[in-house]
Structure formats: structure tokens, C-alpha cells
């Protein structure tokens, strides 16, 4: 909140000028949802905006009659219920009571919201939506007293008992394979640990044991998140993911430690974090973290998501991200919007990722904003570590649906100071294109027909060379945050039969410049 009725969400600013703006059709749906979440109640410095918050809650009640508008949809209702309760509890736990009390009107509205929600749980959507519904019922069931509240608590806990083992895979990752949604669910579980500590033991021994198990689930989730961070401490942008939608990994880790949980290390730029084997494989979500010398690579060698819930999936099988010397160098395009349309379609497409398109097709058929038809499945993963070299190879069958029955196999070879990416296609095709998208702060120049320079912000230079295909520079866009579009460079390597294999090599220049170059003005 920038003022009593001024808001910035998703890097867009709007003012709430009248009752109709709660459902303004000219604003993005996701922006309007954020208006109804009331996240700012519990943001940094929230106590300084207490009067704004109280007035806004009263305004929401007056201008959003029960069941009418975006704010009464189950997901925003769930988030708002939790945020109102957090706000009320925070006022009771500060050393100096700031007076965060829900008056009779607000308490009545909160109860009505929960009664509305409990009849509209999102079993049809499942995933993080149903998880948020269940969390809201647990919060409300503890916050209120009486038989009805006990029913809310019981229902919420029953849903969580099913959804936690379903959604959190054995390697600690969330089943939608998005580091951003993983962070959302991790914060949800930390909140559940927190509120259990606030209210103490529950009446049922069974539920106390279940909530105790959540601590172990959270340990695995924190380890997974640490492995999916670049040396800059931020998440990889696989599938639907963007910065600033959730607390950072470091903030989530600090929250966990405030709750008394044992620490987990989040990778930092310096010194480089090195797994004992040089890599971490998360077999259930299908990601790998490989570290060799100054390179940290995150590889996507898994399915795009659960078969029955691919809404946040991208056609990115066998894509990867790469940091060099602590700087992001090769990046996923990211996510800037959820509204259906050409830009949403492009950001989910294979061409927006660091992998191979065949005859202009996507490896998985993404469509309609949150839909996927036929999708790629990874096959034949092999991992070898000789000490001097780490080799990862994997295939996928996403192009087997095409007339030529194409099979794509990719191999990564990591040596200190050198990364080799080799793509092989089996089957009939007219044209294949491999793309590498570079971070906007990385300068890329093709210096010859098959080679070029990659220059990092700190002045480190790497050379690029390709065999078997023809590289061309093209312009793309990078979307690390919702509502943000930054121009960046992309190398596009096309190849045609009889060529069925290309090899791209990124190698450290022994004459690397030590002085940082000055970024050009945009």
C-alpha cells in the first residue's frame, strides 16, 4: 500500500477510487485478486499502516456483499481469511499492543467468509488452491470457538492429511515443479507450524502427531529449495515462476529458524556451495543441480508436472539454467502474466526455453493459459561422475506425436571451465532449432560463423562454439517478475537433415578480462 487506497501489485499501480474498482474489468484478474488478498496486513512495516489497514477491511466489508465479485472466489477468500487472522494475532503478540483487534463487524464478516468458503472448496482445481482452502479452515478453526469452528478445523486437517503426502514428493519438491509454488506451499506449512505453537496442543492426539510430521516435510522442502537456488540466492524460474511473489528463500529460511527448526544452507554467490558429489539429483520432481568450478547449472530432466494438474507447466523438457562466477548467465524466460493470450502462450512455449523445437512445435502442447494436451515424458536418464567430468544425459518423447516420430536426446558434459551441450534427434524432421537465452546483463557477440563471446558483468569472458548447426543472434525478452519485460539476447541454432546432431560448447577464456564492463543504457 502506497496510500489509504493506492496499491502496487505485480509491478502495476492502481487506486481504489470507488466500490466498482474491487472488480474493475480493465485491470488484470490476478491484480484484482491481489487487491482482495490483504497481504499488506502482514508485510514489513505493517504496523505503520495500521489505520489504513483497519479502514480498508471495513471498506471491504461495506463494498463487497456476500457472494458477489472476485473477492468471494474461494482462493482469494482463503488468503484473506488467513491474513485477517494473522493480523489479529500479531496485535496480541507484540510487546506493545498495537490494537490489531477485529471488531464485531469484522469478526462477523470473517465468520461469514469461512462459512461461504467451506461450501465451495476447490476440489475441482486441487493443488495449491485446495491447500490454501484447507489452511484457511485450520486457521479459522483455531481462531474461533465452538462446534462449528471445530468442524472447520477437522475438515481442514483432513484435507491436509491427504494433500501433504500427495503434493510434497519424496525428494522434498512440490508436485507442480515450480520453485515459486513450492515456496508458497513451504510458507503455508511454516504458518501451520507457527499457529500450532500459538495455540498449543490440539484436542486430538492424531492431529498433533500429523502436525509434528509437517516439521519433517518442511525440512525436505527447505533442502529442495536450497538446491533449486542460483548462487545469487534466488530461485530458478522453471514452469510458472517469478521473483517477489513469495518471500525469498533466505526469508523463508529465517522464518523456519525463528520457529526453532534446524538450519539449511541457501547457496550464495561466494563462496560457491559444492555438493559432495558435484551434483544433487531430485529424482521425483526431476531436477538436477550440477556444480563444476565456476559453473552452477540447474537441469530439467523430469515431467512437466502431475498428469492431472499441468496448469502451471511450460513446454520446457530438457531445458536448463546456468550461473557462471556467481552471475546468472543462461536463463529461463520466466513468467510475467497469467491472462490467456499470445504472450502467455509464448512464455510457456518450448521456444522460450533453453532446449530444442522441432518443426516449430512445442515439446508439450501448452494451450489456453493453463492447459496442456499431449505432453513430453523424460526417458533414459543417466548420470556419470568421473571426477574430472560430470555427464548427464536424458531423452524425451514429446515429438513422437509428429509424423516423423522424432526422439530428442540431450547430453550435458561439465568440466572445470567448460560446458558442452549435445542434442541428437532420431526420426524425420524438416528443421530443428536449439535456443540459448542469456541474462540481460550478459553481453553476447557472434565473432564468426560458428563461434562467439559471452561476457559476464564482472568482466569474465567465455567463448561459445557450435558444430553441426548455424547460430544466429536474435532478440528475446526476460520476465523475472510479473509485469516486467526486459530485452535480452538469444542464440538460435538451426539444423536440417542430414544433420541430426549439434554440439554447443561454452568455455572459459584463459585471457578473461578481470575488469567489469559498463552495461549499456536501456
Amino acid at each position: 500500500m502506497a496510500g489509504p487506497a493506492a496499491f502496487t501489485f505485480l509491478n502495476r499501480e492502481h487506486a481504489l477510487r470507488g466500490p466498482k474498482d474491487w472488480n474493475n474489468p480493465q485491470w488484470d484478474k490476478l491484480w484484482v485478486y491481489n487487491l482482495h488478498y490483504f497481504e499488506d496486513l502482514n508485510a514489513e512495516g505493517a504496523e505503520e499502516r495500521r489505520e489504513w489497514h483497519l479502514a480498508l477491511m471495513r471498506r471491504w466489508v461495506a463494498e463487497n456483499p456476500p457472494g458477489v465479485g472476485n473477492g468471494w472466489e474461494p482462493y482469494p477468500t482463503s488468503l484473506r481469511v488467513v491474513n485477517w487472522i494473522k493480523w489479529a494475532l500479531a496485535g496480541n503478540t507484540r510487546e506493545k499492543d498495537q490494537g490489531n483487534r477485529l471488531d464485531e463487524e469484522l469478526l462477523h464478516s470473517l465468520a461469514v467468509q469461512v462459512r461461504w468458503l467451506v461450501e465451495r472448496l476447490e476440489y475441482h482445481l486441487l493443488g495449491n488452491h485446495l491447500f490454501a482452502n484447507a489452511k484457511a479452515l485450520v486457521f479459522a478453526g483455531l481462531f474461533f470457538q465452538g462446534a462449528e469452528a471445530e468442524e472447520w478445523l477437522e475438515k481442514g486437517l483432513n484435507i491436509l492429511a491427504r494433500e501433504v503426502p500427495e503434493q510434497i514428493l519424496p525428494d522434498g519438491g512440490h508436485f507442480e515443479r515450480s520453485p515459486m509454488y513450492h515456496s508458497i506451499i513451504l510458507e503455508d506449512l511454516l504458518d501451520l507450524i507457527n499457529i500450532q505453537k500459538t495455540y498449543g496442543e490440539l484436542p486430538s492426539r492424531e492431529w498433533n502427531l500429523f502436525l509434528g510430521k509437517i516439521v519433517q516435510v518442511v525440512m525436505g522442502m527447505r533442502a529442495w529449495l536450497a538446491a533449486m537456488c542460483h548462487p545469487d540466492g534466488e530461485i530458478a524460474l522453471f514452469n510458472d515462476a517469478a521473483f517477489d511473489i513469495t518471500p525469498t528463500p533466505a526469508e523463508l529460511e529465517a522464518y523456519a529458524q525463528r520457529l526453532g527448526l534446524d538450519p539449511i544452507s541457501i547457496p550464495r554467490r561466494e563462496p560457491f556451495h559444492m555438493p559432495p558429489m558435484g551434483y544433487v539429483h531430485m529424482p521425483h520432481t526431476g531436477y538436477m543441480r550440477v556444480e563444476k568450478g565456476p559453473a552452477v547449472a540447474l537441469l530439467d530432466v523430469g515431467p512437466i508436472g502431475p498428469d492431472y494438474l499441468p496448469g502451471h507447466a511450460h513446454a520446457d523438457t530438457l531445458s536448463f539454467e546456468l550461473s557462471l562466477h556467481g552471475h546468472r548467465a543462461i536463463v529461463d524466460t520466466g513468467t510475467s502474466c497469467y491472462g490467456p493470450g499470445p504472450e502467455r502462450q509464448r512464455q510457456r512455449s518450448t521456444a522460450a526455453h533453453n532446449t530444442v523445437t522441432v518443426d516449430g512445435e512445442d515439446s508439450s502442447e501448452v494451450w489456453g493459459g493453463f492447459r496442456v494436451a499431449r505432453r513430453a515424458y523424460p526417458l533414459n536418464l543417466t548420470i556419470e561422475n568421473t571426477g574430472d567430468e560430470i555427464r548427464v544425459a536424458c531423452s524425451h518423447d514429446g515429438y513422437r506425436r509428429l509424423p516423423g516420430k522424432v526422439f530428442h536426446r540431450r547430453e550435458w558434459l561439465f568440466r572445470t571451465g567448460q560446458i558442452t551441450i549435445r542434442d541428437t534427434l532420431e526420426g524425420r524432421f524438416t528443421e530443428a532449432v536449439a535456443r540459448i537465452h542469456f541474462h540481460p546483463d550478459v553481453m553476447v557477440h557472434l565473432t564468426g560463423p560458428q563461434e562467439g563471446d559471452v561476457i559476464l558483468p564482472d568482466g569474465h569472458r567465455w567463448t561459445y562454439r557450435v558444430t553441426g548447426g548455424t547460430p544466429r543472434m536474435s532478440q528475446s525478452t526476460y520476465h523475472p517478475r510479473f509485469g516486467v519485460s526486459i530485452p535480452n539476447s538469444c542464440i538460435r541454432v538451426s539444423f536440417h537433415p542430414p544433420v541430426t546432431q549439434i554440439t554447443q560448447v561454452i568455455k572459459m577464456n584463459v585471457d578473461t578480462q578481470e575488469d567489469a564492463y559498463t552495461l549499456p543504457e536501456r
Side-chain angles (χ1 to χ4, degrees), residues 334-499:
T335 303
S336 70
C337 60
Y338 273 177
E343 183 59 18
R344 169 70 172 160
Q345 184 71 19
R346 185 191 72 84
Q347 291 176 21
R348 297 180 75 204
S349 72
T350 302
H353 300 85
N354 303 305
T355 184
V356 176
T357 58
V358 174
D359 291 334
E361 296 288 337
D362 293 329
S363 56
S364 293
E365 294 180 302
V366 292
W367 65 282
F370 296 95
R371 298 286 185 260
V372 183
R374 291 170 293 185
R375 69 279 316 254
Y377 291 95
L379 301 163
N380 305 320
L381 173 67
T382 60
I383 305 168
E384 299 173 1
N385 186 359
T386 65
D388 294 330
E389 177 182 275
I390 298 174
R391 174 182 174 271
V392 180
C394 192
S395 306
H396 79 77
D397 62 359
Y399 297 123
R400 297 289 287 176
R401 69 178 191 274
L402 302 182
K405 306 293 184 184
V406 176
F407 199 70
H408 176 206
R409 184 163 183 81
R410 167 164 280 187
E411 179 183 59
W412 293 269
L413 297 174
F414 297 90
R415 300 185 182 96
T416 299
Q418 179 173 314
I419 300 132
T420 302
I421 306 111
R422 183 171 295 120
D423 291 295
T424 305
L425 299 180
E426 298 176 7
R428 302 187 318 276
F429 63 96
T430 302
E431 181 187 42
V433 179
R435 290 175 175 83
I436 294 182
H437 299 261
F438 291 91
H439 190 278
D441 291 344
V442 173
M443 294 182 67
V444 184
H445 304 285
L446 290 180
T447 57
Q450 308 293 131
E451 59 191 21
D453 286 332
V454 177
I455 311 172
L456 301 178
D458 62 2
H460 281 99
R461 292 174 179 265
W462 291 60
T463 59
Y464 168 84
R465 179 177 289 274
V466 61
T467 58
T470 304
R472 295 286 185 270
M473 293 300 302
S474 63
Q475 290 300 304
S476 186
T477 49
Y478 176 53
H479 310 277
R481 295 169 177 83
F482 275 87
V484 170
S485 180
I486 306 172
N488 69 329
S489 298
C490 173
I491 290 181
R492 182 183 188 275
V493 183
S494 60
F495 57 108
H496 309 79
V499 175

Side-chain angles (χ1 to χ4, degrees), residues 141-436:
L142 292 171
F143 183 73
F144 288 102
Q145 295 180 350
E148 187 179 14
E150 291 173 4
E151 291 177 5
W152 296 340
L153 177 62
E154 184 80 9
K155 182 176 283 290
L157 289 169
N158 273 316
I159 294 171
L160 289 173
R162 294 193 304 271
E163 292 302 313
V164 168
E166 172 72 9
Q167 295 195 31
I168 310 306
L169 301 181
D171 62 14
H174 185 248
F175 73 160
E176 292 193 72
R177 275 82 170 179
S178 157
M180 182 183 81
Y181 280 95
H182 177 96
S183 299
I184 289 173
I185 298 297
L186 174 55
E187 185 181 22
D188 286 340
L189 291 176
L190 290 172
D191 282 347
L192 288 166
I193 294 171
N194 196 349
I195 200 166
Q196 186 197 24
K197 288 177 177 289
T198 300
Y199 282 95
E201 292 288 302
L202 301 184
S204 167
R205 179 176 179 274
E206 177 185 357
W207 292 126
N208 284 304
L209 290 173
F210 167 70
L211 291 175
K213 291 178 182 177
I214 286 180
V215 172
Q216 295 304 313
V217 172
V218 162
M219 290 294 289
M221 293 186 74
R222 291 160 62 210
W224 187 95
L225 184 60
M228 294 299 290
C229 284
H230 282 266
D232 62 11
E234 271 286 10
I235 59 172
L237 298 181
F238 294 120
N239 287 320
D240 278 346
F243 304 149
D244 299 342
I245 296 298
T246 70
T248 66
E251 288 168 340
L252 289 170
E253 181 58 24
Y255 184 17
Q257 292 184 35
R258 289 198 304 274
L259 293 172
L261 305 186
D262 292 335
I264 294 287
S265 175
I266 300 293
R268 298 295 185 186
R269 178 175 283 118
E270 296 287 354
F272 295 113
H273 166 76
M274 179 63 69
M277 296 182 64
Y279 68 86
V280 177
H281 180 212
M282 293 153 279
H284 302 92
T285 46
Y287 289 115
M288 285 192 66
R289 176 189 185 88
V290 179
E291 301 194 19
K292 193 69 175 175
V296 176
L298 296 167
L299 316 181
D300 183 350
V301 291
I304 61 172
D307 280 337
Y308 65 88
L309 194 66
H312 293 296
H314 291 200
D316 62 352
T317 307
L318 304 189
S319 186
F320 71 105
E321 293 190 337
L322 176 70
S323 280
L324 298 172
H325 305 283
H327 301 279
R328 293 193 188 222
I330 296 174
V331 295
D332 190 286
T333 295
T335 303
S336 70
C337 60
Y338 273 177
E343 183 59 18
R344 169 70 172 160
Q345 184 71 19
R346 185 191 72 84
Q347 291 176 21
R348 297 180 75 204
S349 72
T350 302
H353 300 85
N354 303 305
T355 184
V356 176
T357 58
V358 174
D359 291 334
E361 296 288 337
D362 293 329
S363 56
S364 293
E365 294 180 302
V366 292
W367 65 282
F370 296 95
R371 298 286 185 260
V372 183
R374 291 170 293 185
R375 69 279 316 254
Y377 291 95
L379 301 163
N380 305 320
L381 173 67
T382 60
I383 305 168
E384 299 173 1
N385 186 359
T386 65
D388 294 330
E389 177 182 275
I390 298 174
R391 174 182 174 271
V392 180
C394 192
S395 306
H396 79 77
D397 62 359
Y399 297 123
R400 297 289 287 176
R401 69 178 191 274
L402 302 182
K405 306 293 184 184
V406 176
F407 199 70
H408 176 206
R409 184 163 183 81
R410 167 164 280 187
E411 179 183 59
W412 293 269
L413 297 174
F414 297 90
R415 300 185 182 96
T416 299
Q418 179 173 314
I419 300 132
T420 302
I421 306 111
R422 183 171 295 120
D423 291 295
T424 305
L425 299 180
E426 298 176 7
R428 302 187 318 276
F429 63 96
T430 302
E431 181 187 42
V433 179
R435 290 175 175 83
I436 294 182

Side-chain angles (χ1 to χ4, degrees), residues 22-23 29-30 32-39 41-42 60 64-86 106 108-122 125 128-140 144 152 188:
W22 290 103
N23 299 286
K29 177 91 166 178
L30 186 58
V32 174
Y33 269 6
N34 273 265
L35 185 61
H36 291 273
Y37 292 165
F38 279 77
E39 294 281 1
L41 294 184
N42 303 292
W60 188 91
N64 291 272
V68 178
N70 293 285
W72 286 91
E73 292 183 29
Y75 188 73
T77 297
S78 298
L79 270 62
R80 185 175 56 255
V81 164
V82 168
N83 282 321
W84 284 23
I85 292 173
K86 281 185 180 181
L106 295 177
H108 176 74
S109 173
L110 183 62
V112 170
Q113 293 173 53
V114 181
R115 288 170 179 149
W116 176 267
L117 172 65
V118 78
E119 299 298 329
R120 292 162 180 82
L121 301 177
E122 294 173 286
L125 294 179
N128 65 293
H129 278 247
L130 185 59
F131 209 101
N133 301 161
K135 176 186 174 184
L137 294 183
V138 171
F139 266 66
F144 288 102
W152 296 340
D188 286 340

